[in-house]
Amino acid sequence: MSNLAKTPVTIITGFLGSGKTTLLHHLMKNAGDKKLAIIVNEFGTLGMDGEILKSCADENCPAENIVELSNGCICCTVADDFIPSMEAILKLDPAPDHILIETSGLALPKPLLMAFEWPDIRSKITVDGVIALADAEAVAAGRFAHNVEAVDVQRKADDSLDHESPLAEVFQDQIACADIVLLTKSDLVNEITLEKAKSVIADHSPRDIPVLSISEGVVDTRVMLGIGAAAENNLDARPSHHGGAHDHEHDDFESISIEIGEYKTIEDVVERVETLARSQKILRTKGYVAIEGKPMRLLVQAVGDRVRAQFDRPWGDTPRQSQLVVIAEHDDIHPDKIRAHFA
């Protein structure tokens, strides 16, 4: 079967908080007449990204076309979760014109690409392209590495030592596998920072690929969909630190879901999330919070101590239950301290 007869799949990968869900929302709203289906892979069990996308569902991408996988990283749960989900999507009526896959922030794209060799789906799909998102400011500052200051101290003491962290390896693998890199939140940095970020991307990419600067997930859909890379056919051009689907473990990271009470103001919530990140080395916080006297739920998303909060929709018939998912490296996450912080 030719690639033209296969359903194209776009893999959207990127580090924690790089803007994958924002990009997906934009693609959903600007896909023209394309019928879309989406697989969302979350780290944690709250299903926040899937919930955000389902609230934006429309005729071209109804809620039933959005599948959430929250049992683990997609590259490690291929047989149990990913393959059955792909098979179910391919049986949808009407069939989707294009499938979008949002990986978790910790997923390695190459083991996922290798899953497209699975006999039951290989004849039916083609990987149209791999899009890697990277936060421009974080990339320029080197914050994808684990404990950058400690690494710098050790490297100054002995240049022969290699102390690259799991976070750095994830970043490198995502860039190495990409067909396009999107530098997100570019409106928050100056041209010097953007150029530095582009230089970092070039250093980590084994191929000459486009690097685009975007803000708020806005990018021409015609550029994102229809790349025609057939990525499953050129795996050798996409090197990885972890070649096999089961080589990559996530014991370095842990997530917890906590319930918190109502807050009086948005500012109160933002301040708590900011101070939590600074005091307990939190990588990512996301969830919904009830604000006293407000009928709408507050969507909170944070990367480190950089917090975004906005009302997204009324609580309606759902309980006004404030919940947050907090992600950190294994040694830095202390559930009791986190709960006490929000008490």
Side-chain angles (χ1 to χ4, degrees):
M1 183 182 290
S2 70
N3 285 340
L4 291 176
K6 297 179 178 181
T7 302
V9 176
T10 296
I11 297 173
I12 299 173
T13 186
F15 191 58
L16 293 167
S18 58
K20 298 186 295 296
T21 306
T22 302
L23 173 66
L24 267 176
H25 183 199
H26 175 75
L27 295 178
M28 288 171 64
K29 296 301 181 185
N30 296 276
D33 295 329
K34 288 182 183 290
K35 299 287 185 183
L36 300 179
I38 297 174
I39 292 178
V40 183
N41 181 215
E42 303 239 40
F43 189 78
T45 58
L46 189 53
M48 191 58 56
D49 292 346
E51 176 69 16
I52 293 169
L53 293 172
K54 285 182 179 180
S55 70
C56 305
D58 57 21
E59 182 179 351
N60 284 340
C61 187
E64 57 266 27
N65 283 29
I66 302 173
V67 179
E68 300 170 72
L69 303 181
S70 58
N71 291 330
C73 180
I74 196 169
C75 63
C76 302
T77 60
V78 167
D80 294 335
D81 288 326
F82 174 65
I83 297 301
S85 296
M86 283 295 297
E87 291 175 334
I89 285 175
L90 291 170
K91 292 176 182 176
L92 288 171
D93 186 14
D97 299 313
H98 205 110
I99 301 171
L100 305 175
I101 299 175
E102 177 192 345
T103 71
S104 78
L106 303 172
L108 296 172
K110 187 164 183 177
L112 179 57
L113 280 178
M114 294 170 67
F116 286 91
E117 298 286 338
W118 202 272
D120 291 342
I121 64 171
R122 177 168 173 76
S123 63
K124 301 172 185 176
I125 57 91
T126 180
V127 182
D128 182 64
V130 179
I131 302 171
L133 277 65
D135 182 307
E137 182 183 24
V139 170
R143 286 203 303 271
F144 51 83
H146 166 63
N147 200 341
V148 177
E149 294 179 356
V151 172
D152 286 343
V153 169
Q154 291 170 324
R155 282 180 173 166
K156 288 176 182 177
D158 186 349
D159 290 339
S160 67
L161 294 177
D162 181 0
H163 296 287
E164 288 186 329
S165 72
L167 294 184
E169 289 186 3
V170 171
F171 173 81
Q172 291 163 9
D173 275 30
Q174 290 170 349
I175 298 303
C177 206
D179 295 290
I180 293 178
V181 174
L182 301 181
L183 280 174
T184 60
K185 306 171 187 174
S186 59
D187 56 321
L188 303 179
V189 300
N190 57 30
E191 284 299 321
I192 295 175
T193 302
L194 268 181
E195 289 305 313
K196 184 175 182 180
K198 289 179 180 179
S199 177
V200 173
I201 299 296
D203 289 343
H204 287 89
S205 177
R207 297 169 292 132
D208 186 15
I209 58 174
V211 180
L212 309 178
S213 303
I214 69 169
S215 302
E216 300 295 337
V218 177
V219 61
D220 195 324
T221 305
R222 295 171 298 176
V223 177
M224 296 296 98
L225 307 182
I227 297 172
E232 72 276 12
N233 293 331
N234 66 348
L235 293 177
D236 290 343
R238 303 164 191 262
S240 170
H241 287 280
H242 308 266
H246 301 289
D247 290 343
H248 183 51
E249 300 295 338
H250 297 313
D251 293 339
D252 297 294
F253 309 97
E254 189 171 339
S255 70
I256 65 165
S257 175
I258 62 171
E259 294 185 12
I260 61 177
E262 290 195 2
Y263 275 74
K264 290 184 177 181
T265 68
I266 296 176
E267 291 74 20
D268 290 340
V269 178
V270 170
E271 190 273 335
R272 286 296 178 97
V273 175
E274 288 176 344
T275 55
L276 174 73
R278 293 168 188 158
S279 63
Q280 300 193 40
K281 299 181 181 179
I282 302 303
L283 293 171
R284 189 83 162 95
T285 304
K286 56 184 178 179
Y288 294 110
V289 178
I291 301 296
E292 290 181 10
K294 301 294 184 181
M296 300 185 74
R297 63 187 189 181
L298 184 71
L299 171 62
V300 177
Q301 301 186 82
V303 181
D305 64 357
R306 193 166 68 197
V307 185
R308 298 182 67 179
Q310 63 192 65
F311 292 108
D312 76 326
R313 71 177 188 185
W315 288 98
D317 295 331
T318 59
R320 290 174 60 89
Q321 186 177 61
S322 301
Q323 279 190 303
L324 294 175
V325 171
V326 179
I327 303 172
E329 294 196 66
H330 182 75
D331 293 339
D332 293 330
I333 199 158
H334 306 285
D336 291 341
K337 289 184 179 179
I338 292 172
R339 292 188 176 94
H341 182 82
F342 287 100

